Amino acid sequence: MQKQAQEIRYFFYSQAFADGVRTTFAILIPALLGSLTGHFDLGLTLSTGALCVSIADAPGPVIHKKNGMLICAALIFLVSALTSLARMNLYTLGLEIVVLSFFFSMFTVYGNRASAVGNACLLILIFTMDKPIPSNEIAFHSLLTLIGGIWYATISLIFNSLQPYRPAERILGDSIREVARYLSVKAAFYDPHTRLDEAYRKLVAQQIVVSEKQDAVRELLFKTRQIVNESTAMGRKLVMTFVETVDLFEDITATYYDYEAIRTRYGHSGILEKVSLLIHRIAQELDHAGVAIQLRAQYVPAVDFDSQLRHLKEAIDGLSKTDTESNLVLKKILVNMRKLVTRFRELTLYFEMDQKSRKPGAQLDHTHFVSHQPLDPSIFWNNLNLDSGVFKHSIRVMTACFTGFMIVKFISSGHHSYWILLTIAFIIKPAYSLTKQRNIQRIL
């Protein structure tokens, strides 16, 4: 029960919940004010612009968020105006859907944020294609969409400026918790009752999750000038704690033994269960530390690892008295666990207010921690061939969207028939497994 309460509390302090509150507020207010003043259609158009720009508001550095949202607002203005004109003729609308569905799907070559901008443009296209807008109101309608997008961008930037370090704290805490889950999976390898093949599958899956989370933290921390360039205590704590987290994860990943042989030799002794239990406890404490960072709470250690390690050493020494063979592998495991505890304690220095850098006066060269995504037009042109996965994905989206458009115009009927096109545009992803997963979720 206590764990469930903690998870609920963790959810309300998570970045996902904060993003949800901000997005809901920014989208709801224009429509609500429009309804109260008797101009619901105008308010709904503003909210539509805000909704589209919210898609481009992905986690990351403030400068990237701002540029992405402003570019998105400008593009949805153009797409809204173009679609309002093209919808007057069935053939021009069909041509627009073919061209823009391919063009904006190709934005994936520039990364996730650009891909989100492309999705937002497809969304405004679909929302506008069935909306009857008189010729003399096209410019005004498109302008309202632009204003709605700028409204959302402004709200997002204001929220960020009020608590500039909170997104980094939330995503860092989330990253630490995923490392803790990875360590828990690793602990299962020492449990003789766990199937090794199943444990390996879980380990690989969790390693991918940890890498994605660390990439997100890396992107946010080392591309945010306020964090890496300012000499604030919070900035130093965030950066150095993330470095410790990466080191800890690398140490866990690098540790490998012949688990089958270890189980065969020591499975009857009960020592492996003790090793597995202690690693689980380290993982639990690591998880608690991640939650504390995310909640801005103080972390209080609940386990005395020195005594735990001492008891484990005594158990290993007790085996050596009755076993004629060397227990060197168990002693290596013990050494690695001591190193793991040391890494964990260095990570928890985050909670000391007077934390200093490990090397006073040294500057961390953060350029080695981040990758840079150039917006070179040549990248777009170089992917216009069948050897490019993004190109083939864009062809699939274009074909499916045009087919959906034909169904909407010649087979389907009703005011919400555009949902067919909406579903197609947002379910099809470059990876088939993700497309299949989203399709199942959409049907449910």
Side-chain angles (χ1 to χ4, degrees):
M1 189 68 180
Q2 183 179 2
K3 181 175 177 59
Q4 291 177 341
Q6 185 185 52
E7 287 297 325
I8 293 173
R9 186 185 178 202
Y10 166 77
F11 168 75
F12 283 113
Y13 280 85
S14 68
Q15 187 61 41
F17 184 79
D19 291 343
V21 170
R22 181 188 66 245
T23 303
T24 302
F25 173 81
I27 294 174
L28 184 61
I29 290 300
L32 201 59
L33 292 178
S35 178
L36 293 174
T37 57
H39 300 285
F40 180 69
D41 286 344
L42 299 182
L44 190 60
T45 303
L46 290 170
S47 293
T48 302
L51 170 64
C52 292
V53 173
S54 71
I55 297 175
D57 187 19
V62 177
I63 186 65
H64 292 184
K65 288 163 67 78
K66 181 180 72 174
N67 291 342
M69 288 187 291
L70 292 179
I71 291 172
C72 183
L75 286 175
I76 65 172
F77 166 76
L78 295 175
V79 173
S80 177
L82 181 61
T83 306
S84 299
L85 292 170
R87 69 171 300 277
M88 297 179 181
N89 184 283
L90 183 64
Y91 297 103
T92 56
L93 181 58
L95 178 63
E96 183 199 19
I97 289 174
V98 168
V99 173
L100 294 190
S101 61
F102 173 81
F103 177 72
F104 288 123
S105 296
M106 285 293 296
F107 276 27
T108 305
V109 299
Y110 295 113
N112 292 332
R113 191 179 301 278
S115 176
V117 172
N119 288 335
C121 294
L122 289 178
L123 183 61
I124 196 65
L125 185 158
I126 295 168
F127 280 167
T128 309
M129 59 179 280
D130 270 350
K131 188 171 184 178
I133 303 172
S135 301
N136 60 336
E137 295 182 10
I138 290 177
F140 180 64
H141 177 271
S142 301
L143 183 62
L144 286 177
T145 304
L146 173 64
I147 294 172
I150 294 176
W151 153 259
Y152 177 87
T154 303
I155 293 297
S156 177
L157 294 174
I158 289 174
F159 269 69
N160 189 84
S161 64
L162 292 176
Q163 292 185 313
Y165 294 109
R166 283 303 286 149
E169 288 176 314
R170 293 188 183 107
I171 199 168
L172 176 61
D174 197 26
S175 173
I176 292 174
R177 297 196 75 199
E178 294 300 340
V179 174
R181 292 189 181 98
Y182 181 81
L183 183 57
S184 291
V185 176
K186 203 69 180 288
F189 283 84
Y190 299 95
D191 187 350
H193 306 292
T194 303
R195 292 178 53 186
L196 284 177
D197 54 348
E198 182 67 22
Y200 275 116
R201 281 195 294 270
K202 291 181 179 179
L203 189 71
V204 172
Q206 185 61 25
Q207 186 170 357
I208 294 172
V209 173
V210 172
S211 297
E212 291 174 349
K213 294 291 184 180
Q214 290 189 345
D215 285 343
V217 180
R218 194 177 287 113
E219 179 81 9
L220 183 59
L221 285 184
F222 297 110
K223 288 188 178 180
T224 301
R225 296 177 183 177
Q226 187 174 9
I227 294 178
V228 298
N229 290 343
E230 287 187 359
S231 57
T232 60
M234 179 58 72
R236 288 198 305 269
K237 286 165 63 175
L238 289 170
V239 172
M240 299 313 300
T241 303
F242 175 64
V243 173
E244 293 293 351
T245 304
V246 174
D247 290 342
L248 176 64
F249 177 60
E250 289 180 349
D251 286 345
I252 298 171
T253 305
T255 304
Y256 173 79
Y257 301 99
D258 187 343
Y259 299 102
E260 190 68 48
I262 292 176
R263 290 180 173 196
T264 301
R265 183 176 176 188
Y266 298 105
H268 64 282
S269 65
I271 191 67
L272 295 183
E273 286 88 344
K274 295 180 180 179
V275 171
S276 178
L277 179 61
L278 182 52
I279 296 176
H280 272 299
R281 287 176 176 170
I282 298 173
Q284 288 176 356
E285 289 302 300
L286 184 61
D287 183 75
H288 294 162
V291 171
I293 291 175
Q294 190 155 29
L295 302 185
R296 278 190 171 177
Q298 190 63 33
Y299 167 72
V300 180
V303 179
D304 182 4
F305 287 118
D306 289 334
S307 63
Q308 296 281 333
L309 289 170
R310 186 168 57 253
H311 292 157
L312 182 61
K313 180 179 182 300
E314 291 172 356
I316 293 174
D317 291 341
L319 282 179
S320 63
K321 295 176 182 178
T322 59
D323 196 344
T324 57
E325 299 181 23
S326 172
N327 292 320
L328 181 61
V329 65
L330 292 178
K331 294 179 180 179
K332 286 183 177 180
I333 292 173
L334 180 62
V335 169
N336 284 329
M337 292 179 68
R338 284 173 176 164
K339 185 178 180 181
L340 191 63
V341 170
T342 301
R343 287 286 193 195
F344 169 70
R345 285 172 174 164
E346 290 175 352
L347 186 148
T348 57
L349 291 176
Y350 174 92
F351 300 97
E352 296 183 12
M353 297 303 295
D354 58 345
Q355 181 192 29
K356 304 294 184 182
S357 174
R358 286 178 297 182
K359 296 181 179 180
Q363 294 293 324
L364 181 64
D365 186 5
H366 60 272
T367 58
H368 297 294
F369 288 85
V370 294
S371 59
H372 301 276
Q373 176 63 65
L375 299 178
D376 190 344
S378 63
I379 298 176
F380 188 96
W381 300 115
N382 291 338
N383 278 272
L384 293 177
N385 58 76
L386 290 175
D387 293 331
S388 169
V390 175
F391 178 79
K392 289 186 284 189
H393 164 66
S394 302
I395 292 293
R396 287 194 297 268
V397 173
M398 179 187 70
T399 305
C401 284
F402 182 71
T403 303
F405 172 69
M406 299 294 288
I407 294 173
V408 166
K409 290 302 178 183
F410 297 107
I411 300 177
S412 181
S413 62
H415 296 294
H416 299 287
S417 57
Y418 65 89
W419 279 24
I420 296 174
L421 207 60
L422 180 66
T423 301
I424 291 171
F426 281 86
I427 279 184
I428 298 181
K429 295 298 173 186
Y432 172 74
S433 59
L434 184 57
T435 301
K436 179 182 177 182
Q437 179 186 19
R438 290 200 172 195
N439 194 27
I440 294 172
Q441 293 171 346
R442 180 66 162 169
I443 292 172
L444 291 176

